[in-house]
Amino acid sequence: MTPRDAAAAHLPANWSPESWRHLPADQQPDWPDQAALEAVIDELRGLPPLVFAGEARNLTRSLADVSEGRAFLLQAGDCAESFDGFSANEIRDKLKVILQMAVVFTYSTGVPTVKVGRIAGQFAKPRSTPTEARDGVELPSFRGHMVNAIDFEGAARAADPQRLLRAYNQSAATLNLLRAFTKGGFADLSQVHAWNLEFSQTSPEGRRYEVIADEIERALRFMAACGIDLATEPQLHEVDFYTSHEALVLGYEEALTRVDSLTGDWYDCSAHMLWIGERTRQLDGAHVHFLSGVKNPVGCKLGPSATPDEAVALCEALNPDRTAGRVTLISRMGATAVQETLPPIVEAVRSAGHPVVWACDPMHGNTFTSQAGFKTRRLADIMGELEGYFAVHRSLGTWPGGIHIELTGTDVTECLGGSDEVRDDQLEHRYETMCDPRLNARQSLDLAFDTAEMLRALPRHGREHA
Ligand code: PEP
Ligand code: CO
């Protein structure tokens, strides 16, 4: 049997990269020209993969550690990446915030942090309505830069398959820079001070971060003084940084799905990890089917309407072999609902014997429209959902494995609150998001410190009863 035949034996019946096309696929753009779309998909099929299967396997292994309570997952980045204002500085600043948050977790808790960006491919958005009406004019909704443009104007809102190619190219350029930053010296632990962004240095969180950075520097000097050759320890000089996005536009994902020559398995090489959104997690739908056939680690969002049976069925569909690290269940219940809706789901998945990573997205269940008409979130609600999530896992003895956050490295005013409070009347100052409101660097650091304290307060990191 060739590796490919062996791999095929484990696939769901009749799975192929294209087989999702026979199933109902929600949230797909209304492409005006099918032939033009298929031509682009063909072109993408011939382009190099963005990530390697071996890297995705390494992430599955790291996530297996998370599922077993030995590591913590930080998945973070933009709600929607943009084709406009794409620059090295923007990528660098986002990476800085994520590296800072990871240092806060690891330093405060002694638990390794697995770093996964919502980056290098997060270009497609599910929408609550397919069209948007303004002053009596109705146009297709904005679905992310992979599909159309945001301007409220007919030509801009038409789905354009050429955008799939642009998304691929921007993802490739982003990944190239991320690899250079994380392996080429920028992520060296001796640079820990340099990750503090200028505008957050003088804030209370920024100063708190400086204290940790000083202590890390002192520890490095201490080790060197003891005669340890720090230059030969790669872990001090590089970080593993993985990419992820919502696998939404399935033609794009199909085109980047390739057979790994080592194992014969299919991998979606558009990112290391892919997730299924709250609106596309139908058990008999195209998205669950598509991701059931690729070997990457996969996530699935679970909102307040998710039932325990659905959660177990999703685990069965996505991970019949019960491989640890393969499935991350990302709850996004809302601060007021989490303590009620999450426990029966955790209990059902646990008693079914599924080794999942539990993660919490405290963003999407806490969105509302401010008085001035901005879509926003309160940092207090975000923290409230995280507190509820930690309380649930603490009482069940399961490991609250990670968090899933929308943030940016720029000094935006999109979410309310924080120690340097953003107020309702200030949202208009720097409200730049194309989709959901993101935490700025100060709010992200604030969240990291408070989350680290919750992690530290867990009895032996929550594994006492596991
Ligand atoms: C998102 O992560 O940006 C998103 C749309 O989330 P959800 O599917 O949970 O609503
Ligand atoms: Co979002």
Side-chain angles (χ1 to χ4, degrees):
M1 204 152 57
T2 66
R4 192 166 178 167
D5 293 336
H10 294 283
L11 282 177
N14 304 321
W15 189 93
S16 74
E18 308 79 47
S19 52
W20 65 271
R21 293 177 180 236
H22 303 294
L23 295 169
D26 258 18
Q27 298 284 343
Q28 298 308 286
D30 195 3
W31 302 103
D33 180 347
Q34 279 299 314
L37 171 67
E38 292 304 331
V40 165
I41 291 178
D42 255 358
E43 188 174 343
L44 283 167
R45 258 189 215 114
L47 295 176
L50 293 173
V51 304
F52 297 137
E55 298 171 328
R57 273 195 292 280
N58 289 344
L59 176 56
T60 302
R61 270 194 288 276
S62 293
L63 290 171
D65 287 342
V66 176
S67 75
E68 286 154 17
R70 290 193 301 272
F72 191 68
L73 166 66
L74 172 61
Q75 188 171 17
D78 255 310
C79 178
E81 287 174 277
S82 172
F83 288 173
D84 307 326
F86 171 52
S87 73
N89 288 355
E90 189 227 311
I91 297 168
R92 181 201 59 203
D93 291 350
K94 224 178 289 175
L95 179 65
K96 278 183 175 180
V97 180
I98 296 174
L99 292 176
Q100 281 188 289
M101 292 174 80
V103 158
V104 169
F105 292 141
T106 304
Y107 190 79
S108 316
T109 66
V111 175
T113 306
V114 180
K115 295 165 273 295
V116 181
R118 284 175 64 114
I119 199 167
Q122 176 55 19
F123 290 107
K125 298 312 298 174
R127 302 320 303 243
S128 37
T129 51
T131 59
E132 182 185 344
R134 286 189 206 171
D135 304 324
V137 180
E138 193 173 353
L139 291 176
S141 293
F142 172 58
R143 289 187 178 275
H145 271 169
M146 183 187 272
V147 177
N148 55 6
I150 198 163
D151 315 64
F152 193 74
E153 191 257 306
R157 288 289 173 94
D160 174 5
Q162 287 300 318
R163 286 177 168 271
L164 299 178
L165 287 165
R166 184 146 173 212
Y168 168 88
N169 285 316
Q170 186 165 319
S171 300
T174 303
L175 247 168
N176 182 52
L177 197 63
L178 287 170
R179 290 186 196 279
F181 276 141
T182 53
K183 304 290 178 190
F186 180 81
D188 192 300
L189 208 46
S190 66
Q191 297 297 309
V192 65
H193 276 292
W195 304 337
N196 211 359
L197 288 153
E198 242 167 64
F199 58 82
S200 65
Q201 272 163 14
T202 53
S203 67
E205 313 73 59
R207 285 198 297 271
R208 211 169 156 191
Y209 176 79
E210 291 290 326
V211 171
I212 290 189
D214 282 342
E215 286 174 14
I216 291 172
E217 273 191 345
R218 201 171 318 128
L220 291 174
R221 281 200 300 273
F222 171 73
M223 286 191 283
C226 292
I228 297 168
D229 183 2
L230 300 181
T232 59
E233 301 294 334
Q235 299 92 321
L236 297 177
H237 309 296
E238 307 182 343
V239 300
D240 291 328
F241 186 86
Y242 296 99
T243 61
S244 71
H245 61 259
E246 177 173 352
L248 187 69
V249 176
L250 292 176
Y252 179 82
E253 305 303 335
E254 171 195 321
L256 285 161
T257 295
R258 312 289 164 81
V259 172
D260 170 33
S261 55
L262 275 181
T263 60
D265 288 322
W266 291 100
Y267 282 83
D268 180 347
C269 297
S270 70
H272 299 110
M273 176 180 183
L274 287 313
W275 79 83
I276 304 171
E278 168 67 2
R279 293 167 191 77
T280 50
R281 59 174 169 76
Q282 299 79 12
L283 278 161
D284 52 358
H287 292 82
V288 171
H289 174 80
F290 175 76
L291 284 185
S292 70
V294 296
K295 276 272 180 163
N296 308 58
V298 296
C300 186
K301 297 284 197 85
L302 296 176
S305 67
T307 65
D309 285 350
E310 270 170 354
V312 172
L314 281 163
C315 293
E316 287 291 332
L318 294 169
N319 192 17
D321 300 338
R322 301 181 180 214
T323 304
R326 154 78 173 166
V327 171
T328 298
L329 294 179
I330 309 163
S331 61
R332 29 89 84 223
M333 301 294 180
T336 51
V338 57
Q339 302 228 34
E340 200 177 314
T341 50
L342 186 56
I345 292 178
V346 175
E347 281 177 318
V349 170
R350 178 173 59 181
S351 49
H354 274 285
V356 300
V357 168
W358 293 107
C360 174
D361 162 2
M363 315 298 292
H364 289 89
N366 297 303
T367 316
F368 67 99
T369 303
S370 76
Q371 278 183 346
F374 290 98
K375 196 175 175 190
T376 190
R377 295 159 174 159
R378 285 190 198 90
L379 186 58
D381 294 339
I382 292 169
M383 288 316 304
E385 176 153 1
L386 286 174
E387 277 160 27
Y389 159 79
F390 274 87
V392 166
H393 284 289
R394 187 187 175 113
S395 75
L396 295 176
T398 41
W399 173 237
I403 59 173
H404 182 116
I405 304 290
E406 287 182 344
L407 57 72
T408 176
T410 35
D411 192 15
V412 297
T413 52
E414 297 171 5
C415 291
L416 298 167
S419 64
D420 192 12
E421 174 146 5
V422 175
R423 296 186 314 266
D424 199 343
D425 61 327
Q426 294 170 324
L427 287 176
E428 63 178 0
H429 291 178
R430 283 179 309 281
Y431 192 92
E432 294 167 11
T433 184
M434 285 197 310
C435 195
D436 290 338
R438 304 158 297 176
L439 298 178
N440 64 32
R442 279 193 299 263
Q443 292 168 326
S444 304
L445 262 187
D446 215 349
L447 176 145
F449 280 113
D450 289 354
T451 307
E453 262 165 35
M454 291 191 258
L455 259 178
R456 209 160 38 177
L458 287 175
R460 286 207 300 131
H461 301 310
R463 290 186 296 126
E464 217 150 55
H465 327 281

